[in-house]
Every structure is written in C-alpha cells, then in structure tokens.
Amino acid sequence: MSEGDSRLGFDTRAIHVGQTPDPRTGAVIPPIYATSTFAQDGVGGLREGGYEYSRTRNPTRTALEECLASLEGGRHALAFPSGMAASDVALRTMLRPGDHVVIPDDAYGGTFRLVDKVLKLWGIEHTPVHQTDLAAVRAAIRPNTKVIWCETPTNPLLAISDLAGLAQIAAEAGARLVVDNTFATPYLQSPLGLGADVVLHSTTKYLGGHSDVVGGALITSDDDLNEQFAFLRNASGSVPGPFDAWLTLRGVKTLAVRMERHSDNAERIVEALAGHPRVERVYYPGLREHPGHEVAAKQMRRFGGMVSFTVAGGEQAALDVTARTKLFILAESLGGVESLIEHPHKMTHASVAGSELEVPDNLVRLSVGIEDGTDLVQDLLQALA
C-alpha cells in the first residue's frame, strides 16, 4: 500500500487500489489473465510485472492482493483457493512439531478440525480458551506457544476478544497473533492496527459477497513472514485461479455499502428476536447486554450481519425453525447478499461435537442478507410462530 493509497477512504480504495485501467486498451475492469504461463524475452527475460508461471504469480491475483492489503492496512496480501487453505499455510509456516497454539473455545469447526485432527498428527499441541478472558489466555501460554489464533466475533457464538490485549500477551510471549477477520471484514475492524501480526479471511464470505466463489487470504506487514507464506503457497500449489480472483475483486468493490445494509438488517432482526417468547437468548455484539459489547464498540465500526439465537424447546425446535423460513435459505456458509439460516450443531460445527468447543444443540445461526429488512423480520417471526 503506497502512502497515497493510505490517505484515501475505504470505499475509494476498495474500488481503485490494484485496479487502474488497463494501459494498453483502457479497460476499466482488470482483465482475467486466463493463462498458465508467460512468454519470456530470452531465458530469464521476464516482461512487465515479472510474471513467469501462474502458480507463482498471476496479474489478476496481484490486483486482488494489492486491494486486500490496502483495505486491511497491511504491506502484503496473499490470495488462496479457500479460507482453510490460507489457515493451513499460516499454521504450517509459523508452527513446528512440538509447538503450541492457543485457539478460541468456540472456534470455527473447520479451524478446529485442522488443528485437532491434522496438525496434532504433526506434533502440534493446542489449548482452547475463552479468549474474552485475557487472564485465561495469559494462563494458557506455555514456553512453546508460538501462535494465538483469534476469531472476533467468533463463529457461531459471536464472542468478542480484545485485540489490543491479545496482541500484548502475544508480544510478551514471543508468539504471533493471527486474527480471523472474516465475520467483521476490514470495513468493520482493523486487526493489524490493533497489534495483530496476521489477518486471515475466508474471502468466500463477505469479501466475495455473492456466494459464487470460494477463496481465502492472508494479510501482514511482516516482510519475512509474508515471504515464508509465499514460499509455502507456491511449493504446495495452494493458489486460486484468475477467474476466482476476479470474482472476489468484483465483490470487494461493494463491501462497504453491503456491510452497512447487513448491519442495518441484523439490528432490526435482533430487535424482533429479543424478548420473543420462543427465543431463549440472542447472540449479537450490538446488544448492550452482550458481554463483549463495550470492546466491540471500541474496536469495530458497526456490529455486522451475523446473528445467533437459541430456541426454546431444544434441538428439534431449532431444526423446525430452520425448516420453516421462506426467505432465509437453509445452507452453510455466510456473508452473501442473500440471507442464510443454519443449525451449527449438525452443520458447520458438527466436527466439534463431543469436544470442549461443542455448541448448543438448540442454536440457530443467521447470515443476514441485504434484502428488505421488513421481509426478513416477518420471515423469522412466522418461522418462530
């Protein structure tokens, strides 16, 4: 990110950084460079941009990475074919057999599966901790702790962690703080500015924003760490295709306006659910009674489009609600323009069943879209009736 870029507003950077009109044709939108290799002018004679093979670098992917780095306030960004691919490269770069990582006690099920079922076999130790409690995080640190892995808000219970506090603990321990910023997006929260070493995204979600592409990203200002990420990404071949990069970049252009509408609609839904006789508890950091509300208000622009709630009557009652909605689509994933509803216990978080991270079986998670807010509220009310 250049000094000039950093002075531009978020919306402007989302539309322009990495996306200057094509100098040869004047095309306003960056081309999709659907090529596997690039001609050289003699051995080693690479042309403008230094491109030689698309596994290593591709101009469409470069455009996306420059934009993401700018939006997160980092010097570097790397795009991946999924959020889990980005997570895998990040953890395998920063950890070695015998090392220890602190994870949230309600982490995303895919992250837990990677750590508990894959990296454990590689000799990596982990401790789940309620990361809203900084004292508990500090107590979980070991001499071999190399990474604190944080989600805030968490998936699916929307717990809020104090990023500046976690960054201080990580620095004292000689560890790195990695923040999964998927739920908040760079529009609502800037972890690098609060002391994080690495920001991770599933760009499948809000950054892509249209449920039509899968991807991931790592953003950092650490030159050496970025070089190591890039080496492992290239060595393992964990790269997105140019069309996926182009779709994600197209989605990023409208991130700011979409996040405002997601947040508006989520607040209306929370208001309708709070106090409803069939709703036991609403999880949303915008609620004043939410235990992380003050921290969220301090480090987030708004409170986002994700809402979870527990249904009176147990698991079957929650399943019934997910079956009755007409506008909320029963599906995994989140962050698209359309509203989604799911049952984490049996869907996205089935992999944590029986562990310390198990979620309530009467929990329902909403990804609130950008449809008419009144229609969404009425859809949920009739499903709860």
Side-chain angles (χ1 to χ4, degrees), residues 105 130 192 319-320 382 384:
D105 65 355
H130 196 57
L192 294 179
L319 291 170
D320 290 344
Q382 66 81 24
L384 284 162

Side-chain angles (χ1 to χ4, degrees), residues 105-107 130 132 151-161 182-184 206 266 270 281-287 290-293 296 300 303-309 334 349 359 363-368:
D105 65 355
D106 62 336
H130 196 57
T132 62
E151 296 174 19
T152 183
T154 58
N155 181 7
L157 296 178
L158 299 167
I160 300 295
S161 296
T182 298
F183 271 27
Y206 287 108
V270 167
R281 179 178 178 182
V282 179
Y283 299 81
Y284 187 67
L287 286 169
H290 187 288
H293 175 73
M300 296 177 71
F303 303 106
M306 298 301 299
V307 179
S308 294
F309 63 98
L334 58 103
H349 289 68
V359 298
L363 185 74
V364 172
R365 191 191 74 180
L366 305 176
S367 173
V368 181

Side-chain angles (χ1 to χ4, degrees), residues 235-365:
S236 64
S238 189
V239 296
F243 186 54
D244 289 350
W246 185 88
L247 282 173
T248 305
L249 190 59
R250 181 193 64 171
V252 167
K253 290 174 182 288
T254 59
L255 178 64
V257 292
R258 285 187 287 106
M259 291 312 298
E260 289 290 345
R261 184 61 174 266
H262 285 301
S263 298
D264 287 344
N265 283 348
E267 289 172 5
R268 292 189 63 179
I269 284 169
V270 167
E271 183 180 3
L273 293 177
H276 191 286
R278 295 204 61 211
V279 174
E280 291 182 340
R281 179 178 178 182
V282 179
Y283 299 81
Y284 187 67
L287 286 169
R288 293 191 180 277
E289 59 267 30
H290 187 288
H293 175 73
E294 290 187 9
V295 174
K298 181 175 63 175
Q299 67 188 24
M300 296 177 71
R301 185 196 298 253
R302 293 190 68 182
F303 303 106
M306 298 301 299
V307 179
S308 294
F309 63 98
T310 48
V311 182
E315 180 177 2
Q316 189 56 51
L319 291 170
D320 290 344
V321 171
T322 66
R324 291 191 189 115
T325 56
K326 295 178 172 58
L327 293 178
F328 281 85
I329 301 167
L330 178 60
E332 297 188 357
S333 197
L334 58 103
V337 293
E338 64 288 307
S339 294
L340 303 179
I341 189 170
E342 68 121 357
H343 185 259
H345 187 76
K346 287 187 174 293
M347 295 173 68
T348 53
H349 289 68
S351 62
V352 302
S355 75
E356 297 173 70
L357 282 73
E358 185 169 15
V359 298
D361 62 8
N362 64 336
L363 185 74
V364 172
R365 191 191 74 180

